[in-house]
């Protein structure tokens, strides 16, 4: 027989096996595969381990036949509905008189005679001949092929040729420079000595000259009023004191457990899984590495290098700098403030040039604007008549015929049997549990028809009893 999982037996799609994480090794059939705390938990007095509040998956059987009545059906009160009377339309009566179809456009428009437009472009003339067309272009007839010769390369030879003469090391600046000695420039900076004036300092300001002092009046001071206590007693009665009635009552009792220390006479089991399974292995001390003692060499050390032995010393004249020395920045000579611009400058009287405006070509009107347009001048007002509204009156419709409460759902509804998912039972009917794998799948084997009949008979007897 084929084994089936709960995932395959379920018909409603809400029952699945409790999938476990991927397991590397097979797990034996133990009570708990995650911890052994619940197995070795010691009881301390009246304190027990916490219990799960998850409801048990109890199957609720058929509690009776379903009644199809609803609150809408029980509370509905049918009323007599009459048909709403129809509105009689008023008879159309044409208005007397003729319609004036004249417009301002027809009155003001003048008819002109228009002639058709004659094009000024001449008609196209097609000239054809009976001769055969010669398709040879002048380029093929006049082209002459010349012999092409290869051009000579005009690029200069840029290959480097080292010089045969010995390198001198002198620059053009050293060869052409002529030392003329140091000639310090004359400084024109003025001296930092302040110039003192001979005239006495006039410290009188315009405020001191024009200020006129006015006498101030004495400031009015209000006399303080003496404190007069009230002769009426203080009314310190509040709404809380007036409305409060001291009713006898009991203090609320606290449901907080007493903070007593949980003690037990049973000795504490300090053994752990690590202490029970720990195996002590012999450990040896690490070997220390002793460094070798330094021994100085006995032979003499040769400190000469290749550069020191091969180097040939030459008598070379030291380099002389051609840069001039720094000149002093300060000078004791006074600064000459006078310049040629200050001496020769003469201020001229300058007047602002007037703005050049272009004369107006169009003269503005001097009269008053009447704001009268052709539309206002030729407009003829007509009497307006309001439109007749054809909107039906807002009145309820009444009918003498009874209300047809039948719907397509009630007429076409076909009652079907409600099937119960077999995976919702604790013990699946018609299946026998075999085993479960490491991933959490629970496999069942389907019973033959004979065993299923016996099981059904047993369940019927149990229900009757």
């Amino acid at each position: 027989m084929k084994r089936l999982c709960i995932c395959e037996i379920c018909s409603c799609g809400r029952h699945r096996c409790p999938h476990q994480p991927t397991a590397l090794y097979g797990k034996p059939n133990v009570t708990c595969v995650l911890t052994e705390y619940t197995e070795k938990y010691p009881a301390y007095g009246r304190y027990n381990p916490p219990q799960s509040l998850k409801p048990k998956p109890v199957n609720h059987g058929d509690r009776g036949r379903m009644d199809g009545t609803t609150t809408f059906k029980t509370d509905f009160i049918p009323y007599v509905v009459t048909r709403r009377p129809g509105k009689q339309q008023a008879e159309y009566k044409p208005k007397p008189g003729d319609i004036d179809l004249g417009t301002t456009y027809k009155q003001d428009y003048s008819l002109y005679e228009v002639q058709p437009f004659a094009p000024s472009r001449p008609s196209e003339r097609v000239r054809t001949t009976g001769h055969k067309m010669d398709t040879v272009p002048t380029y093929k007839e006049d082209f002459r092929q010349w012999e092409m010769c290869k051009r000579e390369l005009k690029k200069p030879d840029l290959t480097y040729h080292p010089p045969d003469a010995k390198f001198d090391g002198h620059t053009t600046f050293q060869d052409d420079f002529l030392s003329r000695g140091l000639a310090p420039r004359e400084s024109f900076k003025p001296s930092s000595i302040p110039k003192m004036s001979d005239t006495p300092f006039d410290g009188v300001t315009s405020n001191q000259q024009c200020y006129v002092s006015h006498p101030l009046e004495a400031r009015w001071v209000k006399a303080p009023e003496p404190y007069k206590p009230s002769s009426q007693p203080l009314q310190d009665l509040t709404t809380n004191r007036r409305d409060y009635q001291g009713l006898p009552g009991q203090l609320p009792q606290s449901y907080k457990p007493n903070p007593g220390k949980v003690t037990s006479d049973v000795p504490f089991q300090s053994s752990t899984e690590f202490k029970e399974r720990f195996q002590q292995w012999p450990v040896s001390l690490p070997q220390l590495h002793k460094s070798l003692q330094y021994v100085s060499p006995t032979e003499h050390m040769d400190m000469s290098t290749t550069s020191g032995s091969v180097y040939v010393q030459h008598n070379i004249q030291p380099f002389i700098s051609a840069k001039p020395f720094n000149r002093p920045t300060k000078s004791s000579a006074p600064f000459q403030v006078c310049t040629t611009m200050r001496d020769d400058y003469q201020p001229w009287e300058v007047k602002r040039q007037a703005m050049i405006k272009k004369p107006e070509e169009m003269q503005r009107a001097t009269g008053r604007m009447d704001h009268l347009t052709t539309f206002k001048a030729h407009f003829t007002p007509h009497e307006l008549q309001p439109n007749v509204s054809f909107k039906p009156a807002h009145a309820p419709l009444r009918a003498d015929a009874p209300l047809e409460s039948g719907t397509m759902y009630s007429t076409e509804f076909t009652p079907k049997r409600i099937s119960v998912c077999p995976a919702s039972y604790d013990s699946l009917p018609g299946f026998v549990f075999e085993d479960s794998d490491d991933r959490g799948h629970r496999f069942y084997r389907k019973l033959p028809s004979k065993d299923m009949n016996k099981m059904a008979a047993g369940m019927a007897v149990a229900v009757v009893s």
Side-chain angles (χ1 to χ4, degrees), residues 28 37 56 65 73 75 82 99 104 107 192 202 234 248 250 259 345 377 464:
Y37 178 73
K56 297 181 180 180
R65 189 175 181 182
K73 289 184 178 181
D75 301 339
T82 59
I99 302 176
T104 56
Q107 295 176 4
S192 58
D202 186 7
L234 177 64
Q250 296 180 0
Y345 176 71
V464 171

Side-chain angles (χ1 to χ4, degrees), residues 185-247:
R185 294 182 180 180
E186 183 180 358
S187 178
F188 294 95
K189 182 179 180 181
S191 60
S192 58
I193 302 173
K195 295 182 178 180
M196 304 299 293
S197 178
D198 300 336
T199 58
F201 177 70
D202 186 7
V204 181
T205 60
S206 58
N207 186 17
Q208 294 178 359
Q209 294 177 358
C210 303
Y211 178 72
V212 178
S213 59
H214 299 277
L216 298 176
E217 298 180 357
R219 188 176 181 181
W220 179 77
V221 180
K222 183 179 178 180
E225 297 180 359
Y227 173 70
K228 296 179 181 181
S230 178
S231 59
Q232 301 295 332
L234 177 64
Q235 296 181 2
D236 57 348
L237 183 63
T238 60
T239 55
N240 186 17
R241 292 184 180 182
R242 182 185 61 189
D243 301 336
Y244 176 71
Q245 298 177 3
L247 300 178

Side-chain angles (χ1 to χ4, degrees), residues 428-457:
L428 305 184
F431 294 89
V432 177
F433 175 73
E434 281 195 352
D435 58 350
S436 60
D437 59 357
D438 298 338
R439 298 298 301 275
H441 291 276
R442 303 178 66 183
F443 295 97
Y444 292 83
R445 179 175 53 85
K446 191 173 184 180
L447 295 176
S449 59
K450 296 180 180 180
D451 297 343
M452 289 182 64
N453 295 335
K454 292 180 181 180
M455 183 179 294

Side-chain angles (χ1 to χ4, degrees), residues 294-303:
Y294 174 73
V295 180
S296 58
T298 57
E299 299 179 357
H300 180 70
M301 184 177 181
D302 187 8
M303 302 296 291

